[in-house]
């Protein structure tokens, strides 16, 4: 039996996709449609990557306010990227095979996030502390990023800078295939592990009591989150509060934290917000550059509301 | 049989457990008593592999807890910890159903539902089975957690202060249910208790701990004496007999 609310979300997401593809079609249909299709796939993929990584991250950290980007994981990604530019030089960097580059960046990000975040989860810090550490990590790596940006050659800087801002218009389509495969693999893995994630959400002791290998699960989930963050950051750049917005909305709609329902719900919500929003701004309001800003603003408001509610409890 | 051999545990320079060796044979209720900080919870935590073993060995039915996979052990031994922060967006039935995870990995079968129903009934939760956990009182939540541990259907059940937050009625109901489970289902129950009168009335054996060591071990009749209790808790506790049942009275001012 499929939840009624999921069917509704699915229909809405489909409507958004159809609207995105069809509104205001002009000129060479084949060309326009293929252009839009690529963008649509990229938007869906980014949405799913952000949404699913946030759900898994929140479950593993037993926390509803943290997201990978609040913990500075995307700052890590950007740092890894500029470090590559710095070490190789802009010319060598741009002439690298995009897929190889992406692969190296993903692996670097996985290693960095395991090295930084796993020890923190081990010591079982409370939420306020984790949040603080996340902010510090974010600032640290953004500062390191801008330090390197100042030191490197201006031409190299231009190469690196192009990738450091969220932009839903200028999606890096070169990586689309490899990113799609990665996202798909992650989705299959998460879906397979949905019941395990439910148990993980009960907390460490209960999960171990029920036979979960806690360390292995934590490591696997963090690796998954890191790869999904890499996908979304590589395609559109860093986003801060998007994941939080998606999960908060989805949770409000399906009123459960069970992963077999929450994961499809949050993926659909992500598609609705990103594809629907892009349709609205690009085809109806004629100003597509602002989607990132507006959605981030909404996400930021949700973040504040969650913090405020949490502090009153 | 749970076999604990030369187990020591230290956090930094603090020795929590000192060379403990004790065996708990299959069947019956064993009560673990002793003052705060005696190491009772740590011992249970080690036996249920929630804490890593530092020295010594613990085995459950000859399966060493340090080398046996969690999946196998989860069908052998269930534990209820003292402080549980479980998510609030769960119904009682969902929570209890998690106890079936080691057997069915999330895909509940007819048999699972039958066991869940039975656990709900056994711990008086049938009427509130569809309520969300955050609408329950502390005592009701505590019973739901015990029901979940029972639902895991393991031979061994470790309960760390399950009487917390329970009123007198439900505390004695819970102890009766546990007694019933131990007698009719051949379960082995190890339970940390602070009210020694519950230990004296319901347990088959009492193990007393103090400062990380076992200081007394025997039948309730041997432990429920003024001298034994005085030695364990360090103050004078009169014991009287009510209908042949020793009752400790630590209430004198």
């Amino acid at each position: 039996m499929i939840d009624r609310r999921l069917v509704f979300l699915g229909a809405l997401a489909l409507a958004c996709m159809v609207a995105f593809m069809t509104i205001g079609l002009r000129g060479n249909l084949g060309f326009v449609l293929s252009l839009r299709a690529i963008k649509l796939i990229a938007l869906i993929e980014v949405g799913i990557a952000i949404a699913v990584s946030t759900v898994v991250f929140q479950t593993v950290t037993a926390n509803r306010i943290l997201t990978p980007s609040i913990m500075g994981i995307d700052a890590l990604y950007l740092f890894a990227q500029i470090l590559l530019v710095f070490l190789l030089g802009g010319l060598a960097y741009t002439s690298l095979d995009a897929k190889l580059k992406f692969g190296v960046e993903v692996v670097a990000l996985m290693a960095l996030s395991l090295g930084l975040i796993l020890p923190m989860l081990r010591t079982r810090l409370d939420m306020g502390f984790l949040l603080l550490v996340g902010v510090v990590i974010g600032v640290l790596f953004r500062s390191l990023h801008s330090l390197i940006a100042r030191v490197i050659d201006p031409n190299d800087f231009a190469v690196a800078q192009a990738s450091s801002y969220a932009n839903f218009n200028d999606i890096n389509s070169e990586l689309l295939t490899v990113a799609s495969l990665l996202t798909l693999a992650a989705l299959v893995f998460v879906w397979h592990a949905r019941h395990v994630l439910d148990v993980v959400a009960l907390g460490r002791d209960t999960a171990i009591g029920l036979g979960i290998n806690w360390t292995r699960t934590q490591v696997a989930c963090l690796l998954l989150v890191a790869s999904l963050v890499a996908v979304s950051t590589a395609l559109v750049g860093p986003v801060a509060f998007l994941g939080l917005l998606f999960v908060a909305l989805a949770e409000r709609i399906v009123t459960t934290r069970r992963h077999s329902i929450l994961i499809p719900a949050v993926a659909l919500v992500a598609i609705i917000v990103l594809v629907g929003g892009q349709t609205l701004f690009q085809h109806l309001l004629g100003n597509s550059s602002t989607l990132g800003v507006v959605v981030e603003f909404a996400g930021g408001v949700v973040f504040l509301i969650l913090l405020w509610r949490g502090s009153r409890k | 049989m749970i076999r604990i051999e030369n187990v020591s545990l230290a956090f930094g320079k603090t020795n929590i457990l000192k060379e403990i060796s004790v065996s708990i044979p299959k069947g019956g209720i064993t009560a673990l008593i002793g003052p705060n900080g005696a190491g009772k919870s740590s011992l249970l935590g080690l036996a249920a592999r929630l804490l890593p073993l530092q020295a010594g060995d613990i085995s459950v039915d000859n399966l060493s807890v340090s080398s046996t996979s969690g999946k196998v052990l989860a069908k052998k031994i269930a534990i209820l910890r003292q402080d549980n922060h479980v998510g609030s967006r769960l119904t009682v039935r969902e929570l209890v159903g998690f106890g079936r995870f080691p057997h069915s990995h999330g895909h509940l079968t007819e048999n699972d539902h039958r066991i869940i129903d039975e656990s709900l009934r056994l711990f008086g939760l049938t009427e509130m089975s569809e309520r969300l956990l955050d609408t329950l009182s502390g005592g009701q939540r505590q019973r739901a957690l015990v029901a979940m541990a029972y639902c895991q259907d393991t031979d061994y059940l470790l309960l760390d202060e399950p009487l917390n937050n329970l009123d007198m009625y439900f505390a004695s109901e819970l102890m009766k249910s546990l007694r019933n489970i131990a007698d009719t289902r051949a379960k082995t129950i190890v339970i940390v208790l602070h009210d020694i009168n519950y230990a004296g009335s319901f347990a088959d054996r009492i193990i007393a701990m103090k400062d990380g060591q076992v200081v007394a071990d025997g039948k309730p009749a041997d432990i429920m004496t003024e001298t034994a209790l005085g030695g364990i808790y360090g103050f004078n506790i009169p014991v009287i007999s009510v209908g042949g049942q020793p009752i400790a009275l630590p209430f004198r001012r």
Side-chain angles (χ1 to χ4, degrees):
Chain A
M1 193 194 77
I2 297 175
D3 199 284
R4 221 161 22 91
R5 287 161 295 195
L6 281 187
V7 175
F8 171 73
L9 283 178
L12 201 59
L14 202 66
C16 288
M17 291 189 232
V18 170
F20 180 80
M21 290 298 287
T22 50
I23 287 179
L25 277 180
R26 275 195 305 273
N28 185 338
L29 274 190
F31 175 72
V32 176
L33 280 180
S34 71
L35 201 66
R36 284 190 181 186
I38 287 178
K39 199 162 169 183
L40 179 69
I41 291 170
L43 278 174
I44 291 173
E45 197 167 281
V46 167
I48 289 177
I50 294 172
V52 172
S53 65
T54 306
V55 170
V56 173
F57 194 73
Q58 289 186 344
T59 296
V60 159
T61 54
N63 200 308
R64 286 209 208 145
I65 294 178
L66 291 182
T67 69
S69 29
I70 291 175
M71 287 301 290
I73 295 188
D74 53 353
L76 271 178
Y77 179 81
L78 292 178
F79 173 69
Q81 203 167 39
I82 201 164
L83 200 64
L84 274 184
V85 177
F86 181 63
L87 293 175
L88 301 175
L91 192 63
Y93 181 82
T94 40
S95 57
L96 270 180
D97 179 38
K99 283 164 196 155
L100 177 72
K101 199 162 61 188
F102 180 65
V104 171
E105 282 161 358
V106 169
V107 172
L109 184 65
M110 284 176 163
L112 279 173
S113 45
L114 267 197
L116 274 174
I117 294 176
L118 198 62
M120 280 196 279
L121 292 182
R122 278 282 169 78
T123 49
R124 295 196 237 175
L125 302 172
D126 65 282
M127 207 278 297
F129 203 90
L130 270 181
L131 208 59
L132 211 62
V133 172
V135 171
V136 171
I137 288 183
V139 169
L140 174 69
F141 283 97
R142 271 175 212 116
S143 311
L144 283 176
H145 180 268
S146 57
L147 174 72
I148 295 183
R150 286 196 173 86
V151 178
I152 59 177
D153 188 79
N155 292 323
D156 294 353
F157 175 68
V159 171
Q161 206 207 13
S163 53
S164 1
Y165 294 101
N167 191 343
F168 288 95
N169 253 333
D170 175 29
I171 290 166
N172 187 345
S173 54
E174 243 178 300
L175 294 174
L176 210 51
T177 341
V178 60
S180 303
L181 288 177
L182 203 56
T183 312
L184 204 64
L187 264 185
V188 170
F189 176 83
V190 168
W191 186 249
H192 188 70
R194 62 194 189 279
H195 296 301
V196 172
L197 287 170
D198 284 338
V199 175
V200 168
L202 295 176
R204 175 184 179 272
D205 286 358
T206 313
I208 294 178
L210 291 174
I212 300 284
N213 185 329
W214 185 253
T215 312
R216 199 192 295 163
T217 311
Q218 245 183 354
V219 170
C221 287
L222 270 184
L223 287 179
L224 180 97
V225 167
S227 61
L228 285 176
V229 170
V231 166
S232 78
T233 317
L235 288 180
V236 298
V239 291
F241 297 115
L242 261 186
L244 198 74
L245 175 72
F246 295 157
V247 178
L249 273 177
E251 230 191 314
R252 182 54 54 87
I253 293 169
V254 296
T255 62
T256 178
R257 194 76 207 178
R258 295 216 114 179
H259 291 79
S260 49
I261 295 175
L262 185 63
I263 285 171
V266 80
L268 291 171
V269 165
I271 292 171
I272 292 167
V273 171
L274 283 189
V275 177
Q278 188 72 16
T279 311
L280 196 68
F281 281 96
Q282 186 176 329
H283 300 324
L284 299 177
L285 301 179
N287 184 2
S288 55
S289 59
T290 41
L291 174 68
V293 179
V294 172
V295 175
E296 284 286 47
F297 175 72
V301 171
V302 169
F303 177 68
L304 286 179
I305 291 172
L306 285 179
L307 268 187
W308 189 51
R309 276 223 200 115
S311 68
R312 281 195 311 169
K313 250 178 201 165
Chain B
M1 165 142 119
I2 301 178
R3 186 177 285 130
I4 296 168
E5 283 167 5
N6 297 321
V7 166
S8 299
L9 181 73
F11 292 132
K13 280 185 181 156
T14 321
N15 291 314
I16 312 286
L17 299 174
K18 300 165 190 159
E19 298 259 318
I20 288 197
S21 292
V22 66
S23 296
I24 297 165
K26 209 161 186 169
I29 296 181
T30 301
L32 216 50
I33 66 166
N36 294 132
K40 308 179 294 288
S41 297
S42 303
L43 192 62
L44 281 201
L46 286 170
R49 78 211 174 278
L50 301 182
L51 300 170
L53 267 178
Q54 293 175 348
D57 189 38
I58 298 180
S59 64
V60 180
D61 282 354
N62 292 322
L63 299 170
S64 167
V65 294
S66 48
S67 58
T68 309
S69 89
K71 276 185 184 166
V72 174
L73 283 173
K75 294 182 192 170
K76 270 271 162 233
I77 190 164
I79 186 168
L80 169 74
R81 290 284 265 180
Q82 244 179 85
D83 37 302
N84 286 282
H85 310 279
V86 285
S88 46
R89 287 268 177 91
L90 289 171
T91 64
V92 175
R93 177 171 258 283
E94 281 178 312
L95 179 78
V96 174
F98 276 119
R100 298 307 299 161
F101 182 80
H103 304 273
S104 52
H105 305 285
H107 306 278
L108 295 179
T109 62
E110 278 301 308
N111 186 41
D112 291 327
H113 285 297
R114 196 179 50 74
I115 296 173
I116 294 169
D117 285 334
E118 188 200 330
S119 316
L120 289 170
R121 200 177 57 245
L122 203 53
F123 295 95
L125 296 162
T126 309
E127 277 151 39
M128 54 188 90
S129 64
E130 296 307 322
R131 275 173 60 184
L132 290 175
L133 285 178
D134 55 1
T135 66
L136 299 185
S137 74
Q140 291 168 329
R141 196 173 312 161
Q142 182 73 4
R143 273 150 57 206
L145 288 163
V146 177
M148 171 181 155
Y150 172 73
C151 201
Q152 210 170 324
D153 196 21
T154 51
D155 291 341
Y156 298 89
L157 201 53
L158 309 182
L159 304 170
D160 197 350
E161 296 187 32
L163 301 186
N164 272 355
N165 296 324
L166 294 188
D167 65 25
M168 264 194 289
Y169 172 73
F170 279 114
S172 84
E173 281 299 304
L174 180 65
M175 289 309 292
K176 275 186 220 161
S177 309
L178 293 178
R179 189 67 252 177
N180 178 22
I181 294 166
D183 292 339
T184 60
R185 319 269 158 98
K187 304 270 181 197
T188 311
I189 298 171
V190 182
I191 181 169
V192 174
L193 288 173
H194 275 303
D195 189 331
I196 46 180
N197 289 322
Y198 279 112
S201 315
F202 289 96
D204 299 306
R205 175 186 177 191
I206 297 178
I207 297 174
M209 290 178 66
K210 188 182 184 181
D211 297 330
Q213 284 166 320
V214 172
V215 290
D217 181 353
K219 292 197 174 310
D222 306 330
I223 307 291
M224 296 294 286
T225 62
E226 215 166 305
T227 39
L229 290 180
I232 296 163
Y233 288 96
F235 72 110
N236 182 39
I237 305 172
V239 177
I240 59 162
S241 176
V242 179
Q245 167 102 18
I247 300 291
L249 295 169
F251 309 114
R252 290 273 172 74
R253 288 210 278 179

